[in-house]
């Protein structure tokens, strides 16, 4: 049983890393779109994020 738990823990850790990487990639793409002049409404439509979340991501990249 310990081996199964170790494997499960490893799989969960790998999945979390993938999610974190995907979120970072998406945030970078949102910032790039903003720099390129893409309208915020279009970023919201493409990502499904709220306008406030898009603003937060852009603002976080400015610091």
């Amino acid at each position: 049983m310990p081996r199964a738990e170790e494997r499960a823990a490893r799989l969960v850790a790998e999945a979390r890393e993938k999610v974190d990487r995907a979120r970072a990639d998406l945030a970078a793409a949102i910032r790039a779109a903003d720099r390129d002049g893409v309208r915020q409404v279009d970023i919201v439509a493409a990502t499904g994020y709220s306008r406030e979340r898009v603003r937060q991501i852009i603002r976080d990249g400015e610091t």
Side-chain angles (χ1 to χ4, degrees):
M1 190 66 117
R3 287 186 126 174
E5 290 173 358
E6 290 171 10
R7 185 170 188 277
R10 188 173 58 252
L11 289 173
V12 168
E14 290 171 2
R16 285 184 177 147
E17 287 177 28
K18 287 180 183 178
V19 168
D20 290 344
R21 226 178 358 257
R23 284 186 179 143
D25 291 346
L26 179 57
I30 289 171
R31 290 183 195 108
D34 179 64
R35 281 191 304 274
D36 291 343
V38 175
R39 296 180 320 156
Q40 189 179 85
V41 68
D42 295 330
I43 296 172
V44 167
T47 62
Y49 283 171
S50 68
R51 290 182 345 208
E52 180 56 30
R53 184 64 188 133
V54 170
R55 281 193 291 270
Q56 289 171 349
I57 290 168
I58 293 167
R59 207 171 30 237
D60 287 347
E62 294 172 353
T63 57

